[in-house]
Amino acid sequence: MAVLGSGPAGFYSVYKVMQGIDNAIVDMYEQLPVPFGLVRYGVAPDHPEVKDKFTEVASSPNFNFIGNIRIGQDVMLDDLTHHYDAILFAYGASKDRKLGISGEDTLRGIYAARDFVGWYNGLPEFSHLDPRLDKSDTAVIIGQGNVALDVARTLLKGVDALRHTDISEQALASLSKSRIKRVHVMGRRGPMQFACTIKEVRELMKLPSVAFEAVKRDLLPPDLSSLPRTAKRLTKLLLEGSPTPIADARKSWSFDFLLSPLHFVPDRDAQSAQLDAVSFSKMQFADGVDRFDPAAKVQRADEERRLSIPTSLAFRSIGYQSEPLPGMSELGIAFDEHRSIIINDDHGRLVRRAGEASDANTIPGMYCAGWVKRGPTGVIANTMEDSFATAAAIVADWNNKATFLGGGDGWGSIKGGVAEKGTRIVSWDDWLKIDAAEKARGKLLGKEREKFTSPQEMLKILD
């Protein structure tokens, strides 16, 4: 089986497939020289407990990591179909969703949360980002999911508390110069509709010398007793707030509800192209809806009321997007651009067209898992469950002697052609050398690791 992507979806799927199919051989392809995807580059640096979980899978003699490979350039997707029984698409989401409002693409000081998280986690793609955290005392984050709260926590947390994590030294240098004292976490609906988890909110509430500005009481249910357990715990957390009073705080943050971004306002100096403020349209719950219903809809306020927050630093955090890989359409693989997923039967089997998830319409030997299967939502635990479900489908199809691809020698038949192109392939043993070098760099700095922030640096270790 070929697995495209080395993040949680790929590793969790492989773990279950290897359990369910005797002597299953897996080749895992990754475009970077290093594995783990979201676990390495998308998890907050002060959350190390979810990192480095997949070495048990990689230790199997039937597992082969193939890093520094770009599908569509170094290896064609069609080539893989001739040398494997199955292909699993587990490559995640590489883009962020845009707001589509004026100033978003033209003003300095506006960043995608995905890019910012990648930057402080050392993702090579964003090593050049250089967010100017010293230009404003206020930051605006548009979106209220877990990634938005990761950004807020990183901006508010004392830099000394981050020094021993694997956050990049480049990010530490910028954060040490940060002037941010106030963070607004904006949402277009209310507190009973937002998408973050209790754990993330609790961590923000507990930050030393950081105060939470209270939510308006009428946005929360008067009686908590009838709420589901999770909603009840979250509401109590919002009502209790932070132990640090506003008067004693060095920094503060808030959830700002019922506000929809209207446009980014430029600085009056026409030459600067610098963000000066974010303008929001005030929202209200639709007529007749229960404002405490998790699915409650909102609409623009009856009067066109607006709010402008002065800032030169803003982040959009409204979700990620997957993209189709080169060569998919030629193989009859359908990609839903709106939902940002590969069309599948909800169990991970690829189907040729949307709305036709019949056995006759599945594509033999083709599967997907993770964000590219269900959309870029949920936490790593959701990806684990989702990946286990796809793996179960693969195992069931194999045991039931369903039709697969033609099979073959996998990487053994492909690597010669890749080598002729001059591509430097990174094996699992090569990754372990990079891993050891990063840890050695980190030890000198008193931290777990200091990541290399360019593929060239990584590959140089292997020379």
Side-chain angles (χ1 to χ4, degrees):
M1 182 172 76
V3 178
L4 310 187
S6 69
F11 270 103
Y12 281 130
S13 298
V14 169
Y15 174 71
K16 281 296 185 181
V17 168
M18 285 182 146
Q19 276 191 334
I21 300 177
D22 290 340
N23 300 314
I25 297 173
V26 174
D27 293 338
M28 179 175 280
Y29 291 84
E30 167 58 50
Q31 66 176 346
L32 287 171
V34 294
F36 302 140
L38 183 67
V39 170
R40 176 177 167 95
Y41 289 121
V43 173
D46 55 345
H47 281 188
E49 70 275 6
V50 296
K51 298 187 177 184
D52 300 333
K53 299 287 188 181
F54 306 123
T55 52
E56 178 187 344
V57 171
S59 66
S60 167
N62 287 348
F63 176 87
N64 187 26
F65 176 74
I66 307 162
N68 201 39
I69 286 285
R70 296 159 297 178
I71 302 298
Q73 294 185 49
D74 302 305
V75 175
M76 299 300 114
L77 191 55
D78 180 63
D79 289 342
L80 297 180
T81 65
H82 300 294
H83 300 289
Y84 289 95
D85 293 297
I87 298 174
L88 172 66
F89 297 89
Y91 58 85
S94 59
K95 287 178 63 180
D96 71 293
R97 292 189 182 277
K98 289 196 170 185
L99 295 162
I101 60 178
S102 64
E104 184 174 17
D105 296 320
T106 57
L107 297 180
R108 290 197 303 271
I110 303 166
Y111 304 95
R114 174 186 178 271
D115 299 2
F116 184 70
V117 171
W119 168 74
Y120 64 61
N121 272 310
L123 182 60
E125 181 182 354
F126 302 117
S127 60
H128 66 282
L129 196 66
D130 191 26
R132 299 306 302 270
L133 308 180
D134 57 346
K135 293 292 186 183
S136 177
D137 62 1
T138 300
V140 170
I141 304 171
I142 300 170
Q144 294 179 330
N146 282 347
V147 176
L149 298 196
D150 281 345
V151 172
R153 192 176 63 255
T154 302
L155 293 172
L156 292 167
K157 197 165 190 172
V159 71
D160 288 340
L162 294 169
R163 290 193 189 280
H164 300 295
T165 70
D166 66 356
I167 190 170
S168 72
E169 287 296 298
Q170 180 186 21
L172 277 176
S174 290
L175 288 165
S176 67
K177 300 172 186 174
S178 173
R179 292 178 49 222
I180 300 299
K181 303 293 183 188
R182 179 73 171 89
V183 175
H184 296 267
V185 185
M186 320 294 296
R188 64 187 305 273
R189 298 197 295 170
M192 305 311 293
Q193 292 84 40
F194 68 172
C196 56
T197 58
I198 293 169
K199 179 176 181 288
E200 300 289 334
V201 178
R202 183 181 292 116
E203 288 191 20
L204 270 169
M205 293 292 190
K206 290 183 176 180
L207 289 179
S209 302
V210 177
F212 174 66
E213 298 205 358
V215 175
K216 290 181 179 178
R217 188 61 184 84
D218 64 351
L219 291 175
L220 299 169
D223 178 15
L224 309 189
S225 61
S226 61
L227 291 176
R229 181 173 179 269
T230 299
K232 183 187 297 183
R233 291 172 62 201
L234 189 53
T235 304
K236 283 184 176 179
L237 196 56
L238 293 177
L239 287 170
E240 290 168 2
S242 59
T244 304
I246 290 287
D248 299 337
R250 291 187 300 104
K251 300 177 182 179
S252 66
W253 69 286
S254 61
F255 280 123
D256 296 46
F257 297 107
L258 295 173
L259 291 164
S260 180
L262 209 53
H263 59 266
F264 294 105
V265 182
D267 189 280
R268 290 177 183 175
D269 180 357
Q271 301 301 315
S272 73
Q274 174 65 48
L275 175 68
D276 189 59
V278 187
S279 179
F280 293 87
S281 176
K282 294 189 176 183
M283 308 296 287
Q284 64 185 22
F285 289 100
D287 293 340
V289 305
D290 177 2
R291 65 174 59 196
F292 308 129
D293 182 342
K297 297 186 180 300
V298 295
Q299 61 191 24
R300 293 198 186 278
D302 292 335
E303 300 175 8
E304 188 63 19
R305 293 180 294 160
R306 298 183 180 183
L307 172 72
S308 183
I309 300 178
T311 184
S312 59
L313 183 67
F315 301 89
R316 64 170 178 265
S317 185
I318 57 169
Y320 293 176
Q321 287 182 302
S322 298
E323 295 183 288
L325 293 179
M328 274 188 174
S329 59
E330 290 82 351
L331 294 175
I333 298 172
F335 191 88
D336 185 329
E337 297 282 356
H338 178 69
R339 296 171 62 200
S340 191
I341 62 169
I342 299 173
I343 303 298
N344 66 90
D345 68 349
D346 295 332
H347 301 286
R349 301 178 182 91
L350 270 56
V351 296
R352 298 187 191 281
R353 288 175 295 277
E356 298 184 25
S358 64
D359 290 343
N361 204 40
T362 58
I363 305 178
M366 299 277 200
Y367 301 86
C368 59
W371 282 0
V372 79
K373 171 187 172 185
R374 72 179 191 279
T377 60
V379 296
I380 288 179
N382 301 119
T383 296
M384 180 183 70
E385 295 171 5
D386 167 271
S387 303
F388 285 177
T390 292
I394 296 171
V395 171
D397 289 350
W398 185 260
N399 291 337
N400 292 331
K401 303 190 184 309
T403 304
F404 278 77
L405 298 172
D409 193 28
W411 176 239
S413 300
I414 294 171
K415 61 183 177 182
V418 175
E420 288 177 3
K421 295 180 181 179
T423 304
R424 174 60 165 96
I425 306 304
V426 177
S427 67
W428 190 259
D429 285 342
D430 290 335
W431 149 244
L432 294 178
K433 293 175 185 176
I434 296 170
D435 182 45
E438 289 186 338
K439 288 178 177 177
R441 279 158 47 102
K443 187 175 182 180
L444 294 174
L445 298 167
K447 56 198 292 191
E448 177 189 351
R449 74 171 65 235
E450 173 63 11
K451 296 171 187 165
F452 295 109
T453 57
S454 77
Q456 293 75 23
E457 288 180 299
M458 299 171 190
L459 297 177
K460 191 175 181 180
I461 294 297
L462 307 178
D463 292 340

